[in-house]
Amino acid sequence: MLVMTHLQKVYRTHLIETHALRDFSIHVGEGEFVAVTGPSGSGKTTFLNIAGLLEEFTGGEYKLDGVDVGGMNDAERSRLRNEKIGFIFQGFNLIPDLNLFDNVDVPLRYRGFDAAERKRRIEESLTRVGLASRMKHYPSELSGGQQQRVAIARALAGSPRLLLADEPTGNLDSLMARGVMELLEEINRQGTTIVMVTHDPELAARAQRNVHVMDGQVTDLGEAPRFRKTPHAAAATA
Ligand SMILES: Nc1ncnc2c1ncn2[C@@H]1O[C@H](COP(=O)(O)OP(=O)(O)OP(=O)(O)O)[C@@H](O)[C@H]1O
Ligand SMILES: [Mg+2]
């Protein structure tokens, strides 16, 4: 689904160069739920933004669903992003002047769906996150956990194959965080591939695989559960 090989990202300002990603390689298979951990400034958001086609990279290769992203222009990248990717940002990024219905509608407008199809998708995704009755409410009238669920509904409304989440529970208390995590697990069970950046070890432990990032590099690719040798795992936990 997502394959990055020797990826590099250098931010250049007039004074300094920051190597946000150096030789970053990762493979996320279809249907996986991967948690990405690592210290602040290690490159997690940079990785996610590039994965989500929101930012360009400066070297290496990225294939999304078999398609080489490297040679694409802006328009091609936007089309691919709208079609395949849902993004949950660090912070909720809801638009305060729009009610929930209109917030979820924002990315759908770029997809060329007609009004009836958009309405169907908005109602379905808000129902999925348990907020069907709040469609005319504004973000400021919701709790943090509810706002994060709207952000999830917005990411899901376009039926993405790949859901990218940057600290989706970062601003939530532990009870709300658990609720959001359960929702993501449910979404993953229904077939969406998920890559989630988190600082929360308890949530990371619930993902199928943990990838650790340090200094712009993947230092531990984790082990996909299907490759685990059961007797070993059993012995290790015994
Ligand atoms: N637009 C930018 N211009 C210049 N440097 C940047 C830019 N965005 C990120 N960086 C730098 O790239 C490095 C990686 O940043 P990134 O946001 O990916 O870290 P992170 O792992 O997500 O951290 P956190 O856990 O604090 O969110 C940092 O040194 C950061 O200062
Ligand atoms: Mg970050």
Side-chain angles (χ1 to χ4, degrees), residues 19 28 51 57 62 87 96-97 110 117 222 234:
H19 293 258
V28 178
F57 47 98
Y62 173 23
F87 212 105
D97 299 340
Y110 292 104
E117 172 69 9

Side-chain angles (χ1 to χ4, degrees), residues 2 4 21 24 34 36 43-55 62 85 87-90 163-168 194-197:
L2 180 160
M4 291 178 173
L21 298 182
F24 190 100
V34 174
V36 178
K44 305 181 299 296
T45 296
T46 305
F47 153 63
L48 221 56
N49 286 343
I50 292 173
L53 307 176
L54 295 167
E55 262 183 55
Y62 173 23
I85 295 172
F87 212 105
I88 303 169
F89 295 91
Q90 195 164 10
L163 185 63
L164 302 171
D166 198 354
E167 294 279 359
I194 300 183
V195 178
M196 172 184 78
V197 168

Side-chain angles (χ1 to χ4, degrees), residues 22-91:
R22 42 182 114 216
D23 201 17
F24 190 100
S25 298
I26 187 172
H27 179 146
V28 178
E30 170 109 57
E32 274 200 284
F33 191 149
V34 174
V36 178
T37 56
S40 179
S42 58
K44 305 181 299 296
T45 296
T46 305
F47 153 63
L48 221 56
N49 286 343
I50 292 173
L53 307 176
L54 295 167
E55 262 183 55
E56 294 185 61
F57 47 98
T58 38
E61 190 186 67
Y62 173 23
K63 282 191 177 167
L64 174 63
D65 219 5
V67 177
D68 193 344
V69 172
M72 291 188 162
N73 63 33
D74 280 354
E76 289 168 326
R77 270 204 310 271
S78 301
R79 181 148 27 85
L80 195 63
R81 178 174 61 238
N82 287 328
E83 201 180 286
K84 303 214 182 220
I85 295 172
F87 212 105
I88 303 169
F89 295 91
Q90 195 164 10

Side-chain angles (χ1 to χ4, degrees), residues 5 7 17 21 25 30 35 51 53 63 72 82 88 90 106 122 128 135 146 155 160 169 179 183 187 198 234:
T5 320
L7 208 78
E17 281 189 351
L21 298 182
S25 298
E30 170 109 57
L53 307 176
K63 282 191 177 167
M72 291 188 162
N82 287 328
I88 303 169
Q90 195 164 10
V106 170
I122 294 163
R128 208 162 160 194
M135 278 189 266
Q146 289 167 335
T169 62
L183 183 60
I187 289 160
T198 182

